[in-house]
Amino acid sequence: MKSSALKRAGRSAVIPLITVLTAFVLAGLVMLVTGNDPLSSYGAIFDGTGLNWLFPWVSGHNRTIAAQDLQQTLVAAAPLVLTGLSVAFAFRVGLFNIGAQGQYTVASVIAVWVGTVFTSMDPVIHIVLAIFLGALVGAGWAALAGWLKAAFGAHEVISTIMLNWIAIWVASYLFQEGGPLQGTQALGNPVSNTIAGNLHLPVIWGNPELQGLDVGVFLALIVAVLYWAIIRRSTLGYEVRAVGHNPTAATASGMNVARSYIVTMAICGAFAGLAAGIDVFGWEFQVSSTTISTSQVGFLGIAVALLGRNTAIGTVAAALLFGALETGTAAINLNPSSINPELAPQLTLIIEGLVVLLVSTDLIALRLLGLPRKLGWGKPQAATARGDALAVDDPARDPAEALRPEPGL
Amino acid sequence: MSIAAPLTPKQGESERLSTVLTTKRVGLGGAALGLIAWILPLPPVLARSPWPSIALGLLAALAGAFVVLDPKHRRLGGVTIFFGLVAIPLALAMTNQSAANVSQVFTWSAVIASGLTFTTPLLFGALGGVISERSGVVNVGIDGMMLMGCYFSVWGAYATGSWVLGMLIGMLSGGLLALVHAYFSIHLRSNQVVSGMAINFLAYGITGYLLVAQFGNNGTPGTVPTVPNLVLPVIKNTAFFGVAFGRTNVLTWAALLLVPVIWWFLFRTRAGLRLRAVGEHPMAASTVGLRVLATRYAAVTVSGVLAALGGVYLADGFDGSFNFQMTDGRGFIALAAVIFGKWNPVGALGATILFGFSSALAYRMETFSATLGTLFQALPYVLTLIAVAGLIGRSRPPAADGVPYVKE
C-alpha cells in the first residue's frame, strides 16, 4: 500500500520534470536554429527570474537585484496558483473553465471599487471586505456559467468564453474616459482611482516601493491547501470527483449533478476572484482598461492547471514555473547582450506550449528513458470500475482520465 | 401484398395532436409578433412612436406566458416572453434616438458588408472544428492554427510576392501545426484538450518569435500583396447589393461556398459517412474495415488548413500585416460556434453569422453614444449567451469526440 503510494507520488513528480526539461531542450534547439546561443539565453532568463538568489555565491549588488527579481517571480506566481486552481477545480467536476479570466476581471473591478470607497473604514476590515466581495462576485460570475449548464444545458465552453468577453468590455467601459468608475485624478486615462497606501497588503520581503513580496502569496498557498482539503477530505469534493468521473453514475447514486456544477463553478470563480484581490491590493493598486484587456492571468491558469495535473501541489509548482518564465523573460529583467528582449517573451510562449504539449501525454517521457520497465509500473492501470461512482480514483494515477472532460468540447 | 394501415387515428390521439399544434402555433405566432415589434423602429419602417412595438411586445409576452404553461413547450414560451419583453426597451431606445442616427446605424447594406468580414474568419475556424470533431478529435487549437495562417500568409506573400503563394504557405503552416495535434491526440493518445491548448501557446510563441526574428521591431512591412476583393461587374453599381456584396473578399465567398460543400460531403457522400462513423463509433468503423487513425489524421489536418484560411483572411485579406496574437481569441469563438452549431456546418454558419453581424452592429452603434460604444462591444457575446441558453440548449457531440481510439 505504502510503496504503491510512494511510487505514484514519484511517478507524478518525475514525469513533469522530464517534460519540462525536454521542453527547454526543444526550445533551445529553436534558438540554436535561429542563430541565438541557447546557453547564454537561458542563463540570462534564469538570472532574470531571480532564482540565482538561491546561490550563496551571488553577492553584493547582484544579490539585491536577484532578490528583487525573485520577489517579482513569486508575486507573479501567486495569482497563477489561484487561477490554476480555478481551472483545475472545474476539470475535477468534468467542466472546462475557460472563464477564469472573466472571473478575475469582474473581481478586480469590484475589489478596486470597494477599495477606493468607504475611506473611513478600518483598514484591515476594508481590505478583507474588498477582497471578499471581489471573490464573491467572481464566484457569482462563474456560477452563472454553471447555472446555464444545469438549467439550460448551455455548454460551459461557450458560456465561459462569452462571459470573459462581456466582463472585459464592461470593465473597459467602466474605467474609460467618462466611464462611471474612471478615477477622479485619471485626467483622460482609462484608469480607476488608486487604493490608499494604508490599504496595501503588507510586504513581507523586499522594498514596498519596488513591488516586494506581499502576503498575497500566503493566501494563494492557503487556498491550495484548502483545495486539497475540499477535493480529498470533504463530501463536496467526493461528489465533485464522482460527477467528474461519471455524471450518470453519480445521478444514479443520488447526487445532484446540477447543484454540483453550480457549486463547483462558484468555487472556481471565488479562486479566480481571490487572484484579482491579491493583485489589486498587493501591487497594482489601480485597474485600467488596458490592464483589463491585456491581462493573461486567467488564460495562463489553464496551462498551469494542465501542467499541474489538477492537483494542489502540481498547480503550485506549475504556477512557480510559469511565474518564473514570465518574470525571467520580461524585458526589464533581461540582459540584452544575451538575448533580444523582444524575443524572450515569445520564447516563453514556445516553452509553455511545449511543456503543456508534452504533459498531454505520458508516453514521450516514459518512452524516452524506458522508465516503465525499470520501475516496474507496466501499463498504466485501466481506470477502475468506470461505471462505479464509488470508486473515484486518484487522478494522479491516470491523469488523462481525470482531465478528460465530457466529449465534444 | 400490402397491409392496410389504419387511416384514422384514435379519437384521443387526434385531440392531443391538435392541442400540441395549437400551443406551438401560439408560441411561434407570439415570437413572430415579437420580431415585428423589434423591426418596426428600424429602417425601412422607422416608426417614430414606441407604442406599436410596446403593444406587440406585450402581446408576444402574453402569448409566451400561455405557451410556457405547457411543460412540453417551456423553452419556446420562455424565448417568446423574452423576445416580447426586450422589444419594449429596444423600441423606447430607438425612438428616443434621432431618425438619422437610427438609419445611419442600421444601414442594412453596410451592416451586411461589415458583418461578412466579421463572420469570415470565424466561419473558416468553425468549419475546421466541425470536420475535426466529427471525426472524433476535439480541436481546441483552432486559435493557434488560425494564427499560423495569419503569420505565414503575410510572410509567404512577402517572400514570394504573390498572395496565392502566401495563402498556400499559410494553409500549409496551419496543416502542419494540426499534424502535431493529430500526432499527439491520435498516436500518443494524449488528452486532446491539453494538446489543443498547447498548440495555441506554441503558435503564439512561434509566430511571435518569427515576427521578431524576421522583421525586427518594426513589424511586417505592410506592402505585401493581399488577397483581392471580388468586384461583381453589374451588381457593384446597384444601391443595396453593391454595398452589401459588390466588393466582398474572395475568401469570404470561399467560406460561404464551403458550407454547402462540407455539408454535402459530411452527410451525402460515402467518405463523409465514414468520417462520421469514425467519430461516433470507431470500434464499429474499424470492424467494417475503415481506417480510423488515417481518417482522423486527414480530418485534423484539413481542420488546420481551414482554420489557417481564416487566419489568411484576417491578415492578408486586409492590409497584409501581422501582429502578435492578432486572432484575438477568434479561434475560441469559432470553437464556441462549433458547439453552438451542433457540429453541423450549417449550424456553424448560423452561429458565426449571429456573432459576426452583431459584432458589426456593435461597432456601428457607437453613433448612438460615444461613451456607451465600449459597452455595445459586449453585444455579440451577450446575444450568443442568450441564444445558447434559450434556443439551443443541450447539444449532443459525436459520441467518440475526444476519446482516443485504441485498436484491440
Side-chain angles (χ1 to χ4, degrees), chain B residues 1 4 16 51 66 85 110 178 200 225 248 270 282 306 308-309 315 347 377 380 398:
Chain B
M1 269 274 301
R16 212 164 60 223
W51 293 111
F66 170 73
L85 289 184
N200 287 328
T248 308
R270 188 172 294 197
L306 285 175
L309 262 176
Q377 299 293 321

Side-chain angles (χ1 to χ4, degrees), chain B residues 160-204:
Chain B
T160 63
S162 142
W163 67 265
V164 178
L165 289 176
M167 181 175 79
L168 291 175
I169 291 171
M171 290 161 73
L172 188 71
S173 70
L176 282 177
L177 192 67
L179 266 181
V180 176
H181 180 53
Y183 178 69
F184 271 82
S185 44
I186 299 168
H187 239 95
L188 298 181
R189 281 179 250 136
S190 54
N191 183 298
Q192 297 169 7
V193 175
V194 187
S195 160
M197 259 341 260
I199 290 293
N200 287 328
F201 280 96
L202 262 183
Y204 301 160

